[in-house]
Amino acid sequence: VSQAIRLSQVPRVEVFISLIWEPPLDSAAKLQSIREELGVIDLMVLPRSPEPDRVWRHLERLKAKGLLKALGVKDFKAEEVEFLPHGGAAVEYALCAFTPYRHGPSRSTWRRFGQRSIALAATGLLSDSPRPLRPREDPHVLAIARRVGKTGAQVLLRWALQLGLAVTFHAERPRHVAENLAALDAPELALAELQLLSGLATLAEPLPPGDGFA
């Protein structure tokens, strides 16, 4: 990462670096090694685990020392964040699976995070593995894509952005990165289209409201 930043010639202050606290990055010594290469880490994310309290206190201490700028969680339900030390007051960012078929790990996740002013970020938006039909290939998504002259992936990214979410995506090829970033220039989706995409969860799982539905 440090080599890529140097070769890009983009000033470090314009690069936001987010890391997940998991092997091989799972100790203060390893964090210090990374900081020597990259400088201050902008965001450290703690994955969901059976007993996160001890690690969370450790991350809070690292932040208090100025080694981390912000703390976040990954795949936590909103009620689980409330049981972190100090009621999860230090949580500023939440990363969860969010697709048209699955609106977070539980029905209330996104609403409750929003009420706490925690920045929400969607992952798995374009694939929603292991479902056989990828959201970007869904006929409803493709119909909207044809209307706005964009790809299915760009429509999904635009949908999430208009819902107020940040989005993370994995792309190995430069053209895929460019395609995804082009969603920022896509026209806003109509309210009916937002509602259509948000309602696909009830088609994917036609069950009474419960976990997995927003």
Side-chain angles (χ1 to χ4, degrees):
V1 173
S2 60
Q3 182 181 8
I5 293 175
R6 287 195 297 271
L7 292 176
S8 72
Q9 298 184 341
V10 175
R12 173 61 181 86
V13 294
E14 297 182 14
V15 178
F16 186 93
I17 295 181
S18 170
L19 299 174
I20 296 179
W21 187 264
E22 60 185 3
L25 173 58
D26 57 359
S27 71
K30 293 176 181 177
L31 174 62
Q32 181 58 34
S33 176
I34 291 176
R35 288 188 71 253
E36 291 173 359
E37 290 279 340
L38 301 176
V40 176
I41 305 304
D42 297 291
L43 173 67
M44 184 63 71
V45 179
L46 177 67
R48 187 171 182 257
S49 62
E51 298 179 355
D53 290 16
R54 180 184 61 81
V55 178
W56 187 255
R57 289 192 180 92
H58 179 57
L59 294 180
E60 285 185 321
R61 289 193 293 270
L62 293 176
K63 182 185 176 186
K65 294 178 181 179
L67 302 180
L68 308 170
K69 287 187 177 181
L71 298 177
V73 295
K74 179 178 182 289
D75 296 332
F76 275 65
K77 296 181 180 180
E79 56 269 27
E80 294 171 334
V81 168
E82 295 168 4
F83 287 103
L84 287 172
H86 310 112
V91 177
E92 300 179 54
Y93 169 95
L95 175 67
C96 293
F98 191 96
T99 78
Y101 306 147
R102 178 176 45 163
H103 298 174
S106 73
R107 182 178 177 84
S108 63
T109 296
W110 295 97
R111 174 176 54 82
R112 295 177 69 174
F113 278 152
Q115 290 172 344
R116 295 183 55 157
S117 298
I118 294 174
L120 310 178
T123 185
L125 179 65
L126 307 181
S127 60
D128 198 23
S129 178
R131 295 183 187 276
L133 179 62
R134 296 178 178 180
R136 64 175 179 265
E137 298 169 355
D138 187 289
H140 303 85
V141 175
L142 294 179
I144 296 174
R146 286 192 294 270
R147 186 191 72 80
V148 298
K150 295 293 181 179
T151 66
Q154 290 167 338
V155 166
L156 290 170
L157 290 166
R158 186 74 235 179
W159 168 69
L161 292 172
Q162 284 185 232
L163 291 182
L165 306 178
V167 179
T168 65
F169 58 82
H170 175 75
E172 296 180 351
R173 300 180 179 179
R175 65 183 180 88
H176 289 159
V177 175
E179 176 188 346
N180 291 343
L181 292 178
L184 297 173
D185 299 323
E188 286 198 356
L189 302 181
L191 177 59
E193 292 168 334
L194 290 176
Q195 293 172 332
L196 171 62
L197 296 178
S198 298
L200 291 181
T202 59
L203 297 179
E205 299 286 349
L207 300 171
D211 282 359
F213 296 85

